[in-house]
Amino acid sequence: MKTGFADRVKKAAAAIPTGFRPETAVILGSGLSGIVDGLGYHEISYAQIPEFPKPTVAGHKGVLCLSGKNAIMAGRFHYYEGFSMDDVVLPVFVLRELGVKNLILTNAAGGINPRFNPGDLVLIVDHINMLGTNPFIGPNPAGADGLPLGDRFFDMSDVYSRDLRAIAWSCAKVPPKEGVYAAMTGPSYETPAEVRMLKAMGADLVGMSTVPEAITARYLGMRVLGISCVTNMAAGIGTTPLDHAEVVGVGKRVETELKQLIFGVLSRLEIQGGA
Ligand code: HPA
């Protein structure tokens, strides 16, 4: 993190109307933003939040939706858009400032595991960071201007909460699959050789997001649930060339199932008081 990051977080958090104390937040991935349509949540455009970057990708709306106990970010920031890692993870710090304890990260991903099919929802059990960077390179923001304390060297052995996964299992209509997510920078999709490499490393899914936010959530002591929507088979696994419009299109088709799963988890957590 760069010096001054704490000020940026405070400034952004101060722009969120008081009265919203979300305990669980959802970050929606490419093509999955439609989930917030017609919800009746209070909406704040990212343009109204100082220090929040503005999404540049088709399929990302750029609104923060708030209700009593929940926050939903329709639109996220990717490293490939040219944003710094500070920008990519700033919203997670802001959500933590608002009181968020559980973070649900969703994404569109390419399926590497041949047991997966386009349209599958897969719970992330672990990740492989192939971004070549880490949001915590640089001064440790711990304690700066009252930001939550996090250790310089923090444990990553259980990033994706078993408890939240168990809740997701119990809420899902179709039993979800599980897998390891590898993050590449993009924006080009992978070559078949890269996909073979990721497969040999133990990855089941590949995408261009989620890992920086998951690392940050871990640093901040949040519980993380990661849900990938398999929008296509990764290069060389499927037979067709990859196309962003197709990725967004498949995301739209599974939106109903994902919405049902997310709201199932949210209501279960509300019943449990966020714990
Ligand atoms: N690779 C990387 N990111 C992705 C893919 C993919 O195949 N599909 C959706 N996001």
Side-chain angles (χ1 to χ4, degrees):
M1 257 96 208
K2 293 196 183 60
T3 313
F5 182 74
D7 291 336
R8 294 187 60 198
V9 172
K10 296 274 169 197
K11 225 165 132 183
I16 314 297
T18 50
F20 292 106
R21 295 293 296 164
E23 290 178 353
T24 303
V26 185
I27 300 183
L28 297 172
S30 300
L32 306 173
S33 286
I35 283 178
V36 298
D37 290 344
L39 272 187
Y41 276 30
H42 181 83
E43 290 197 3
I44 306 167
S45 145
Y46 292 171
Q48 293 169 264
I49 309 175
E51 301 299 335
F52 246 57
K54 313 296 166 254
T56 64
V57 191
H60 287 259
K61 275 186 203 285
V63 282
L64 172 64
C65 306
L66 294 156
S67 74
K69 292 278 179 230
N70 306 319
I72 305 182
M73 280 180 57
R76 65 142 56 88
F77 310 111
H78 305 85
Y79 193 49
Y80 66 73
E81 291 176 83
F83 294 123
S84 65
M85 271 289 147
D86 282 14
D87 285 337
V88 171
V89 303
L90 181 121
V92 182
F93 273 86
V94 173
L95 292 169
R96 179 67 182 74
E97 284 293 291
L98 301 179
V100 168
K101 297 187 279 191
N102 305 302
L103 186 62
I104 303 176
L105 297 169
T106 69
N107 59 52
I112 297 177
N113 188 322
R115 289 187 301 110
F116 297 168
N117 297 301
D120 281 350
L121 294 182
V122 181
L123 302 182
I124 302 176
V125 293
D126 204 349
H127 74 223
I128 301 175
N129 180 6
M130 295 295 286
L131 298 172
T133 187
N134 187 296
F136 290 87
I137 291 173
N140 183 8
D145 293 327
L147 280 190
L149 290 168
D151 289 337
R152 184 48 152 163
F153 303 104
F154 52 103
D155 181 60
M156 291 288 287
S157 32
D158 210 5
V159 177
Y160 299 89
S161 159
R162 278 171 205 281
D163 291 350
L164 293 186
R165 262 178 10 237
I167 292 175
W169 267 94
S170 67
C171 296
K173 276 213 180 99
V174 181
K177 294 177 179 171
E178 295 200 330
V180 172
Y181 176 92
M184 300 284 274
T185 63
S188 55
Y189 290 117
E190 301 69 39
T191 63
E194 286 165 344
V195 172
R196 286 195 298 275
M197 171 193 74
L198 295 171
K199 189 174 184 190
M201 286 174 154
D204 300 297
L205 301 151
V206 57
M208 305 173 191
S209 68
T210 302
V211 163
E213 294 115 313
I215 295 172
T216 304
R218 206 60 217 115
Y219 172 90
L220 294 169
M222 294 164 155
R223 294 194 300 181
V224 180
L225 177 65
I227 308 172
S228 285
C229 160
V230 178
T231 49
N232 56 278
M233 294 316 284
I237 305 278
T239 47
T240 47
L242 274 55
D243 171 25
H244 182 64
E246 189 189 323
V247 167
V248 173
V250 175
K252 286 260 152 297
R253 288 209 295 281
V254 288
E255 220 164 65
T256 316
E257 198 186 324
L258 182 64
K259 188 170 184 173
Q260 178 263 327
L261 178 57
I262 287 174
F263 283 93
V265 174
L266 289 177
S267 56
R268 187 71 63 83
L269 287 170
E270 277 188 53
I271 294 164
Q272 294 180 359

